[in-house]
Amino acid sequence: MPRQKVTTNLPNDPVYAFLRALRHTGPMGFEGLVAHLLEAQLGQRFRLADSGFQAGMDAKAEPGPAGANRIKVETKHYFKSSLDLRELTAEIIQACRSDDCDVWVLVCTCPVSNQHAVELEQIAAEEGVECVFLDRPNTGVDRVAVLMASHEDSVIHWSSHAKVVVDEPGLRSSLEELRKRTEYETTRTQLAAKLSGSLVGYADASRRARDEFVSVISDKQSCEAIFNQDVAVLAAGRRRILRRGVVKDIDSWWRKGTPASPHLAALGEEGQGKTWAVMGWLADRAVSNEMPLLLSCNASVDIRPGDTLEALLPKLLLSWTHLKTKDWWQKRLEHWIRCPTPGGPFILVLVDGLNENVNVNWIDFFRPLQHQRWRGQIALIVTDRPGHWEQCARLQRDGFNSLAIQGYSNQELQEALAAHPEIDLRIIPNGLLPLL
């Protein structure tokens, strides 16, 4: 086979010259180089698609080890100022509409504009897929070149096999200079994380669930439907009393982290504000985006006898993200938990009102969390009445910490009565204060 030759009217850049010299398609062209680089980076085998209808991809990762991302690749061996958004939109829709894609990678030798990137990312997010762009930006480092610099010997070996005429000393020198640039290591690390990260789609799911939670607790009727009570702590015109002591205690529990203190049981009698206090704490953290993926439910609305938390999680993911199907979320959840996250739990679950569903064996419901694959991955907050919680005493040994929530303190009561100036707290007998 004759060697591919580099044309002479090129910028003085050996990397650019090398890429431009390649054929567009095939195992000995740009597609083949990209597949080779991704194999070197990820340790997964990539197969090129046959010519003709390619379902929005030029290459696809073969099934890899447990936890490996399912990756589809589209290549554009163009040397012009921009790409065709209409063409890319059709291709990403085809690639993402099936359930066998976690990451869609666009590899091109020209820039991907911010407008194109945003639109493509939005389309992918609607299908629970993440995008990675390996392009040649107008500023910063060439992302294809970063992969080449990370696997320099592998590139030289591939070029020899593909019979590409290459200025090896010049190419090696250019890649060495790239590795010295301050942006190189940051870009390399970011690409590695996006290509092989176990929590693919997690950020989008967290955002969707957070936005939906804030929307629900801002509307009284929505709260009634989902939580079986009005806990709309963010509703317009709602005057909320900050339970400072309770917030301090929950903050203290949260800072301890797992495994020292993985779960919290907020206990209080009817009317003492346990759910409101917990919802207020969650609302503040949701608004400030200071928590992991939040999923919440009411014990009497969402849970049936024989259910387990493990079986409920995909349903909650579907309910709070409004994305895909329960079976799809089951697979995505399995993908997430294969690689434990060192930074603490990646899902926080609220189960409100255990006492409202006496037909559920709550010890059995939470038991799957004792399995090593879930340990440290999930944090729980439950609310219950003290008398009912006594029947769940076994959960104390499974990492649940009890927080007793009493009625308002005098300061909190004064704040609550501030809207009612006709009531003078000083003339109310102390014995009646707990009834307020």
Side-chain angles (χ1 to χ4, degrees):
M1 179 184 297
R3 287 181 174 268
Q4 303 173 53
K5 294 184 179 180
V6 177
T7 56
T8 57
N9 56 338
L10 295 172
N12 186 23
D13 179 351
V15 175
Y16 183 86
F18 172 77
L19 292 175
R20 185 156 187 170
L22 302 177
R23 298 184 177 91
H24 296 317
T25 61
M28 304 302 181
F30 184 64
E31 290 178 349
L33 173 65
V34 169
H36 190 76
L37 286 172
L38 291 174
E39 288 177 353
Q41 176 67 34
L42 299 171
Q44 293 176 251
R45 177 75 182 277
F46 281 78
R47 288 192 178 275
L48 299 184
D50 295 331
S51 59
F53 179 73
Q54 297 177 322
M57 63 177 179
D58 294 316
K60 178 180 178 180
E62 289 187 347
N69 288 327
R70 298 167 298 178
I71 300 174
K72 293 182 179 180
V73 184
E74 180 66 28
T75 64
K76 298 296 179 186
H77 191 230
Y78 295 159
F79 292 87
K80 55 185 181 180
S81 59
S82 64
L83 299 168
D84 184 336
L85 179 59
R86 181 178 298 180
E87 178 185 3
L88 291 174
T89 298
E91 287 166 342
I92 194 172
I93 289 174
Q94 291 176 27
C96 296
R97 283 283 163 86
S98 60
D99 286 343
D100 62 345
C101 184
D102 298 314
V103 181
W104 186 76
V105 183
L106 174 61
V107 189
C108 52
T109 46
C110 63
V112 176
S113 71
N114 182 66
Q115 176 191 359
H116 288 184
V118 169
E119 294 198 32
L120 293 172
E121 286 171 340
Q122 288 176 345
I123 294 170
E126 290 299 320
E127 302 297 333
V129 174
E130 286 199 3
C131 287
V132 178
F133 302 111
L134 304 181
D135 64 333
R136 185 183 179 89
N138 292 318
T139 59
V141 296
D142 185 322
R143 291 171 175 82
V144 177
V146 167
L147 282 185
M148 291 173 61
S150 300
H151 307 284
E152 179 180 316
D153 290 338
S154 187
V155 170
I156 299 300
H157 178 268
W158 176 86
S159 64
S160 175
H161 177 69
K163 297 187 176 359
V164 177
V165 176
V166 57
D167 172 13
E168 183 175 337
L171 181 60
R172 285 188 181 275
S173 176
S174 182
L175 295 176
E176 175 63 26
E177 288 301 313
L178 174 58
R179 287 191 290 269
K180 293 177 181 178
R181 292 180 59 173
T182 55
E183 315 100 303
Y184 167 76
E185 189 58 35
T186 300
T187 304
R188 187 192 68 80
T189 302
Q190 290 173 344
L191 290 178
K194 291 207 74 172
L195 288 168
S196 60
S198 62
L199 293 183
V200 59
Y202 174 80
D204 181 69
S206 297
R207 176 189 59 80
R208 290 173 183 272
R210 179 180 66 250
D211 291 349
E212 181 68 6
F213 178 75
V214 170
S215 175
V216 167
I217 61 174
S218 300
D219 181 75
K220 297 178 183 179
Q221 284 74 31
S222 296
C223 283
E224 290 281 1
I226 293 175
F227 295 111
N228 206 29
Q229 59 181 313
D230 175 10
V231 286
V233 296
L234 297 182
R238 177 60 52 86
R239 190 166 181 271
R240 176 179 151 210
I241 307 303
L242 180 62
R243 306 295 301 273
R244 295 178 180 83
V246 177
V247 168
K248 181 179 178 181
D249 289 338
I250 300 178
D251 279 341
S252 177
W253 160 75
W254 186 247
R255 284 194 299 269
K256 288 179 183 177
T258 57
S261 181
H263 313 305
L264 180 72
L267 308 178
E269 297 295 350
E270 181 72 20
Q272 291 186 324
K274 57 184 178 295
T275 299
W276 269 77
V278 168
M279 284 293 186
W281 183 83
L282 291 172
D284 291 340
R285 285 187 165 266
V287 169
S288 59
N289 194 19
E290 296 179 2
M291 67 168 63
L293 172 57
L294 172 64
L295 304 173
S296 51
C297 66
N298 177 268
S300 64
V301 175
D302 299 286
I303 301 171
R304 300 291 179 266
D307 283 349
T308 65
L309 181 63
E310 185 174 26
L312 181 65
L313 286 174
K315 301 177 185 177
L316 293 180
L317 283 162
L318 174 61
S319 296
W320 287 101
T321 64
H322 302 291
L323 180 70
K324 290 289 191 174
T325 65
K326 181 175 72 70
D327 289 342
W328 186 89
W329 278 114
Q330 177 66 50
K331 295 175 184 176
R332 177 53 58 88
L333 190 59
E334 290 286 343
H335 187 73
W336 284 348
I337 67 173
R338 286 190 182 112
C339 299
T341 51
F346 71 91
I347 298 179
L348 174 60
V349 180
L350 167 67
V351 183
D352 179 49
L354 302 191
N355 56 281
E356 297 178 26
N357 196 337
V358 296
N359 295 318
V360 172
N361 183 322
W362 292 109
I363 294 173
D364 288 346
F365 177 82
F366 292 117
R367 180 168 286 130
L369 293 185
Q370 298 307 303
H371 194 282
Q372 61 181 358
R373 74 186 193 131
W374 288 108
R375 226 172 288 152
Q377 307 269 46
I378 306 279
L380 283 168
I381 299 179
V382 303
T383 66
D384 200 2
R385 292 188 185 181
H388 181 266
W389 184 250
E390 290 177 1
Q391 304 172 31
C392 305
R394 167 74 170 74
L395 294 176
Q396 295 288 135
R397 305 204 309 268
D398 293 341
F400 276 88
N401 294 262
S402 299
L403 172 61
I405 297 181
Q406 309 295 335
Y408 284 153
S409 66
N410 283 349
Q411 179 182 353
E412 292 165 350
L413 187 55
Q414 288 175 341
E415 292 178 15
L417 295 177
H420 303 277
E422 71 277 9
I423 301 177
D424 187 349
L425 187 62
R426 293 171 298 179
I427 65 174
I428 300 176
N430 290 335
L432 296 180
L433 291 179
L435 301 178
L436 297 178

